[in-house]
Amino acid sequence: MASLSRALRVAATRPPRSLARRPELCPLSSGARPTAEKNVPYQRTLKEERGPSAAAQGPSRPLPSTADVVVIGGGSLGCQTLYHLAKLGVSGALLLERGRLTSGTTWHTAGLLWQLRPSDVEVELLAHTRRVVSRDLPEETGLHTGWVPNGGLFIASSRQRLLEYQRLMSLGKAYSVESHVLSPAETKTLYPLMNVDDLYGTLYVPGDGTIDPAGTCSALARAATARAAQIIENCPVTSIRVRTDDFGVRRVAAVETEHGSIQTPCVVNCAGVWAGAVGRMAGVKVPLVAMHHAYVVTERIEGIQNMPNVRDHDASIYLRLQGDALSVGGYEANPIFWEEVSDKFAFGLFDLDWEVFGQHIEGAVNRVPVLEKTGVKSTVCGPESFTPDHKPLMGEAPELRGFFLGCGFNSAGMMLGGGCGQELAHWIVHGRPEKDMYGYDIRRFHCSLTGHGRWIRERSHESYAKNYSIVFPHDEPLAGRNMRTGPLHEELLAQGCVFQERHGWERPGWFTPEGTAPVLPYDYYGAYGNRAHQDHAYGKLLADEHTFEFPPHHDVIKQECLACRGAAAVFDMSYFGKFYLVGLDARKAADWLFSADVSRPPGSTVYTCMLNHRGGTESDLTVSRLAPGPQASPLAPAFEGDGYYLAVGGAAAQHNSSYILAALQDRRFRCQLIDSSEALGLISIQGPASRAILQEVLDADLSNEAFPFSTHKLVTAAGHLVRAMRLSFVGELGWELHIPRLSCVPVYQAVMAAGAKHGLVPAGYRAIDNLSIEKGYRHWHADLRPDDSPLEAGLAFTCKLKSATPFLGREALEKQRAQGLRRRLVCLTVDEKVPVFGLEAIWRDGRVVGHTRRAGFGFAIDKPIAYGYVRDPSGGLVSPDFVKSGDYALERMGVTYPAQAHLKSPFDPDNKRVKGIY
């Protein structure tokens, strides 16, 4: 068999393939088609023996006429979801597999499990998968899942990479994940066959390992069926029947197969690469693409036995122990798209394209030199599904009630399967997952993007190509940009705005003094015959962000922040979601949905939360009471009954609207939710000079008496009707102007002209982040998530617990208040000026008590500042006295820094500035 080095030489001498110049219009694939079935390097698979085809055999057992839940797809996620549904007591759970279990993509997976990732939620999910395969399933079934805890090594061949690993190590301490940063010499002792000459160090996690797909899925199937779940193989789904209820809501009604129909109110799409086709059966858009993903298995290597698995991120390769051999795989910049996904593809593989795969060989040989003379025993190239942000797609589809997604796992379905299967089961049974799954929730994507082919393709490609790139705190995508732009986009671009992307929206990040920095069309990093951009101003500025130190423009953001504190800043927040909740039952809906009392007189604005049944925070937003009117205007629809105007962070707009609509449907409230996010712009003018500036622009008295804090009015600005709200998200005197889209530019220009003599500057979200954390204002999905209650987050004032009004989540909050808090959000400041980004371990009296969720720099107090939830390691209550009595430190990149804990913001704790008291 040819050696890896010879394969590399052959690939290098081949003439380049003719590739598509316009990937959004033309195929990127090499033309490869499924080949004859091949073997993967596992002791066994669940592939059927030779004999009649699956179609001829028919279903492996008779179909029931009804089921409580139907899971479609018998891979890792399908089996894990069925198992966890059964554990929750769902006896009527059924899994349908068109072939045999694991026959799609699971059977050929590498099966690696790494415990540390730059996400606290993923660390928790991975920990559950590990418990399931290493402990739960063997105890329940007596079967060996094939779990091999041989450990894992992350390779750092740059200083930045080593800092990333030290950051992971610090996070791991908050979750009791053992890890060690090793020197090159220590690495060589652990892994004698490794070349360490070019290393800065490694991160060693002894508890990492590999999962056998056949063994795990067999054990899952046995454990699930022992709890009365059913599995039917050889039963392809042909369609999904949908009904529309009396309120016009689309709901799942039945699953149709070639062998009969099954009535069910709930379907779970765990079809992997084929999830898009299953989604189309139900009219649900599933934003993923299929790509070839490959690895090769070497011949026997003397001395490799019992070595840990290796991830060399800088070489974009992994080395998986395979008995006395290695599996070698990686992620390339030019992956092959599977353009026409075949529904006949089971236990099949593609021919390996050495021209594409060959780029991994040099890195593998450099890391383990013995590979240069080692033969290749087999090649494995199969289909995998990839998503626009390299995160799975989970949760209930907003288009169809009862249709859940559990797909798009970006070749990580085995390692995330246990944790995600458990959360998906909780989602189905209890209405929400136990953990914060917003980052995986299909509702994170705006509905305009989930069916947008070019955006999905570009973003999925970039996510694949950058899978092993360092995860920097302020990185931004280059693919799929300029999809949704606000009315001030060109105006701000001319002022030097450097934009951020959030789920398709371009929002201001910060303003560079170096000229304009437009985001250019995606160049696929030079792959597929595209010419990579040269002298790309935006790309250069973004490259400066690739650091774990203060970026070069740290002082530019400082100037934006201090201008806001000392004079005034204007923020374009058009990216916010803007909705009207109106109708005969709007007040009932508002009382139920919002934790605060929002049924105040028209003209009032209330900061509130939306909670789930567990008391967790699904959103924080402002709700403004409207006066009813028979005539519609650009700033209010015509409505009968009651009306409210909602403003919510733009990244969560789709999540919010879907959550509200589901609640309206479930409670059968007679009201409408109208989305005006695209029709309205929003600018916020904040700072001590904001009143003087706006008094020149608005035809209204802006005094405290005439325009109190937390109120709103319709006023004229530069001849245009706007809704002015006296609010602040940065802790200053200020107003928001909600403006019809066509009026945004003239109103903005009038504000900038009036502010010229007052020191007004344009500022972006990077400034907002630092200003808001300095003031102690919460960011949803950072400080505040669906598994955090307002009581834990210090937002008890947003909850109408002193009233008798029922609201969603009230019972859970009352129970938590009666029992006391087991954790509490705490502000921490550090005297030493070091950059902090979140995920730092929090030490109290020499013990780890949590990790930071969000961090930044308070320029007014001139200190790093962070927020994180603190627990008592002994399991006791976390009272204010507990917080104040401890001796704290933050661990950043493996180094601890003394810290001070605060129960109130260290900046303006008496809230004088928002009242205009300076």
Side-chain angles (χ1 to χ4, degrees):
M1 183 65 69
S3 67
L4 280 177
S5 59
R6 182 173 183 273
L8 177 62
R9 290 194 297 272
V10 170
T13 58
R14 286 180 180 173
R17 288 180 288 125
S18 176
L19 293 167
R21 299 282 303 177
R22 301 275 311 273
E24 69 275 15
L25 300 176
C26 306
L28 295 180
S29 72
S30 66
R33 293 291 183 266
T35 65
E37 295 179 344
K38 300 179 180 180
N39 292 321
V40 292
Y42 292 107
Q43 290 185 353
R44 71 187 186 97
T45 72
L46 300 182
K47 187 192 300 188
E48 62 183 346
E49 299 295 330
R50 291 182 178 274
S53 68
Q57 289 179 7
S60 59
R61 59 182 300 162
L63 272 64
S65 59
T66 63
D68 294 335
V69 182
V70 174
V71 178
I72 300 175
S76 171
L77 261 296
C79 292
Q80 289 278 11
T81 302
L82 186 76
Y83 165 70
H84 285 95
L85 284 169
K87 288 193 74 171
L88 289 177
V90 181
S91 59
L94 168 67
L95 185 149
L96 297 178
E97 164 55 46
R98 64 184 176 87
R100 299 288 304 276
L101 294 185
T102 76
S103 65
T105 61
T106 295
W107 76 290
H108 59 71
T109 181
L112 293 158
L113 190 148
W114 317 93
Q115 294 179 88
L116 291 179
R117 285 196 172 196
S119 161
D120 55 346
V121 174
E122 288 193 359
V123 170
E124 295 175 9
L125 296 173
L126 292 166
H128 183 71
T129 299
R130 192 179 188 281
R131 284 192 297 271
V132 168
V133 299
S134 67
R135 185 193 68 191
D136 296 353
L137 287 175
E139 289 179 357
E140 292 179 37
T141 66
L143 297 177
H144 180 46
T145 62
W147 166 247
V148 180
N150 59 309
L153 265 177
F154 284 1
I155 305 300
S157 50
S158 69
R159 173 172 167 73
Q160 293 279 50
R161 184 69 75 176
L162 188 60
L163 288 174
E164 180 183 42
Y165 294 161
Q166 290 169 333
R167 188 179 185 216
L168 292 180
M169 180 182 67
S170 294
L171 174 62
K173 291 178 182 178
Y175 288 98
S176 301
V177 177
E178 181 187 359
S179 64
H180 310 273
V181 172
L182 305 182
S183 69
E186 291 170 324
T187 303
K188 185 71 172 180
T189 299
L190 176 66
Y191 202 120
L193 294 180
M194 183 175 291
N195 168 33
V196 300
D197 293 344
D198 57 347
L199 297 191
Y200 277 71
T202 58
L203 178 67
Y204 175 50
V205 186
D208 288 352
T210 56
I211 308 170
D212 175 71
T216 298
C217 288
S218 292
L220 288 167
R222 178 178 292 187
T225 53
R227 290 181 169 89
Q230 295 186 64
I231 296 175
I232 302 180
E233 297 176 295
N234 303 330
C235 188
V237 171
T238 56
S239 67
I240 296 170
R241 198 175 346 131
V242 175
R243 66 181 178 88
T244 302
D245 68 16
D246 295 339
F247 290 82
V249 180
R250 297 177 71 244
R251 298 182 182 274
V252 168
V255 170
E256 304 286 350
T257 77
E258 296 175 355
H259 308 283
S261 63
I262 304 164
Q263 293 184 353
T264 182
C266 182
V267 165
V268 192
N269 183 357
C270 296
V273 165
W274 296 270
V278 173
R280 287 189 291 273
M281 295 178 187
V284 172
K285 294 177 287 186
V286 182
L288 55 74
V289 297
M291 297 183 191
H292 295 200
H293 189 58
Y295 61 88
V296 300
V297 184
T298 71
E299 298 284 0
R300 185 178 187 276
I301 301 173
E302 184 60 41
I304 205 68
Q305 296 84 352
N306 302 317
M307 290 296 99
N309 302 313
V310 173
R311 251 187 173 178
D312 189 337
H313 290 96
D314 294 316
S316 197
I317 59 166
Y318 64 81
L319 307 172
R320 177 206 193 274
L321 185 69
Q322 195 79 50
D324 59 1
L326 286 179
S327 294
V328 180
Y331 292 82
E332 57 278 348
N334 59 337
I336 299 171
F337 286 74
W338 192 17
E339 302 294 353
E340 298 179 4
V341 177
S342 168
D343 60 0
K344 307 299 183 186
F345 194 86
F347 291 116
L349 296 171
F350 304 104
D351 284 328
L352 182 68
D353 189 320
W354 282 100
E355 186 180 331
V356 173
F357 187 83
Q359 59 197 279
H360 302 307
I361 298 173
E362 185 175 355
V365 169
N366 174 66
R367 189 55 53 221
V368 180
V370 69
L371 289 175
E372 184 174 15
K373 298 181 180 179
T374 301
V376 176
K377 181 166 59 178
S378 63
T379 66
V380 180
C381 182
E384 294 279 4
S385 58
F386 295 89
T387 63
D389 58 0
H390 217 70
K391 301 290 185 184
L393 307 174
M394 294 180 63
E396 189 175 32
E399 307 102 310
L400 179 62
R401 299 301 303 275
F403 188 91
F404 286 80
L405 299 174
C407 52
F409 276 80
N410 304 281
S411 76
M414 286 301 297
M415 76 170 84
L416 289 170
C420 288
Q422 180 186 49
E423 296 308 312
L424 193 51
H426 275 274
W427 220 325
I428 293 163
V429 175
H430 299 299
R432 70 164 306 277
E434 286 194 317
K435 295 181 175 60
D436 165 48
M437 299 297 288
Y438 171 73
Y440 290 4
D441 192 337
I442 183 62
R443 296 174 298 178
R444 69 190 184 271
F445 295 126
H446 191 264
C447 57
S448 67
L449 299 176
T450 52
H452 196 294
R454 180 173 66 84
W455 181 81
I456 295 168
R457 191 181 187 91
E458 285 186 5
R459 287 295 301 271
S460 299
H461 170 269
E462 185 179 37
S463 294
Y464 181 101
K466 290 184 66 175
N467 183 38
Y468 278 5
S469 297
I470 297 174
V471 179
F472 290 107
H474 299 299
D475 201 7
E476 296 289 332
L478 294 174
R481 298 296 295 266
N482 297 317
M483 298 297 298
R484 305 176 71 203
T485 57
L488 297 174
H489 186 267
E490 296 302 318
E491 189 83 9
L492 301 180
L493 186 62
Q495 291 180 308
C497 183
V498 180
F499 285 93
Q500 301 174 337
E501 188 272 352
R502 295 297 181 270
H503 301 308
W505 263 111
E506 298 291 325
R507 73 178 192 183
W510 55 286
F511 287 79
T512 175
E514 300 176 9
T516 61
V519 181
L520 301 182
Y522 186 49
D523 62 5
Y524 283 84
Y525 292 88
Y528 313 118
N530 289 276
R531 176 173 295 181
H533 295 309
Q534 303 295 323
D535 299 321
H536 183 195
Y538 184 88
K540 290 180 178 179
L541 290 170
L542 189 61
D544 290 339
E545 294 273 48
H546 294 169
T547 177
F548 290 109
E549 305 300 330
F550 292 121
H553 55 263
H554 180 70
D555 286 340
V556 178
I557 296 170
K558 174 182 179 178
Q559 292 168 15
E560 293 181 15
C561 291
L562 294 183
C564 181
R565 295 282 187 234
V570 57
F571 303 92
D572 175 23
M573 302 172 71
S574 299
Y575 143 88
F576 261 47
K578 298 167 282 286
F579 303 91
Y580 295 100
L581 178 66
V582 296
L584 298 177
D585 286 344
R587 179 165 183 168
K588 291 181 181 178
D591 285 343
W592 174 250
L593 280 167
F594 305 125
S595 62
D597 180 10
V598 300
S599 294
R600 301 182 184 183
S604 63
T605 297
V606 178
Y607 172 68
T608 183
C609 296
M610 279 197 304
L611 310 181
N612 52 50
H613 288 285
R614 295 168 61 91
T617 312
E618 294 288 341
S619 171
D620 70 331
L621 66 162
T622 59
V623 179
S624 300
R625 183 76 182 274
L626 304 176
Q631 299 296 323
S633 79
L635 288 165
F639 63 89
E640 296 181 10
D642 293 286
Y644 302 86
Y645 175 62
L646 320 179
V648 63
Q654 184 70 49
H655 171 85
N656 275 260
S657 62
S658 299
Y659 192 79
I660 293 171
L661 284 172
L664 299 182
Q665 294 164 5
D666 293 342
R667 304 285 292 190
R668 300 192 172 187
F669 290 125
R670 296 169 298 168
C671 52
Q672 289 180 285
L673 183 70
I674 301 170
D675 187 351
S676 293
S677 301
E678 304 280 356
L680 297 174
L682 167 57
I683 61 174
S684 180
I685 301 90
Q686 302 288 323
S690 60
R691 178 182 277 131
I693 294 168
L694 288 175
Q695 197 64 78
E696 298 183 28
V697 180
L698 306 182
D699 67 342
D701 183 353
L702 302 183
S703 66
N704 286 328
E705 297 75 21
F707 209 139
F709 182 75
S710 203
T711 63
H712 67 95
K713 293 180 180 180
L714 291 179
V715 300
T716 299
H720 298 264
L721 188 66
V722 304
R723 187 181 303 281
M725 294 185 186
R726 186 170 166 194
L727 293 172
S728 178
F729 194 51
V730 298
E732 298 293 334
L733 173 70
W735 279 261
E736 293 178 0
L737 302 182
H738 297 248
I739 313 166
R741 189 178 184 95
L742 294 178
S743 300
C744 285
V745 170
V747 170
Y748 177 80
Q749 291 173 339
V751 169
M752 291 300 295
K757 59 180 176 290
H758 295 283
L760 179 69
V761 303
Y765 274 79
R766 292 286 289 278
I768 288 178
D769 288 342
N770 287 284
L771 291 163
S772 62
I773 198 171
E774 185 174 55
K775 185 63 188 76
Y777 290 158
R778 312 301 190 237
H779 273 205
W780 188 81
H781 206 248
D783 318 291
L784 196 59
R785 304 196 303 206
D787 50 353
D788 305 319
S789 82
L791 305 185
E792 296 167 332
L795 297 178
F797 69 90
T798 67
C799 302
K800 48 181 180 272
L801 291 173
K802 293 182 180 179
S803 75
T805 306
F807 62 91
L808 183 57
R810 176 173 186 139
E811 292 181 1
L813 290 189
E814 289 176 331
K815 181 178 179 181
Q816 186 180 62
R817 184 175 62 174
Q819 294 177 343
L821 300 182
R822 299 284 174 177
R823 60 185 188 133
R824 191 181 293 266
L825 186 65
V826 174
C827 172
L828 296 145
T829 56
V830 178
D831 288 334
E832 190 164 347
K833 293 180 177 59
V834 293
V836 287
F837 304 108
L839 303 183
E840 293 84 12
I842 302 173
W843 291 81
R844 178 186 181 275
D845 295 340
R847 302 173 72 183
V848 176
V849 294
H851 66 276
T852 63
R853 287 276 192 85
R854 185 164 70 108
F857 198 90
F859 290 104
I861 64 173
D862 200 28
K863 290 182 180 181
I865 187 167
Y867 277 80
Y869 285 85
V870 167
R871 296 179 180 270
D872 181 353
S874 303
L877 299 179
V878 180
S879 65
D881 287 341
F882 175 90
V883 173
K884 290 186 288 186
S885 63
D887 184 16
Y888 289 87
L890 287 185
E891 181 178 327
R892 174 195 181 272
M893 313 297 190
V895 179
T896 56
Y897 299 89
Q900 294 77 45
H902 311 266
L903 288 170
K904 284 188 175 182
S905 164
F907 175 79
D908 189 25
D910 297 323
N911 293 320
K912 292 181 178 180
R913 299 172 76 97
V914 295
K915 302 170 186 175
I917 303 172
Y918 285 93

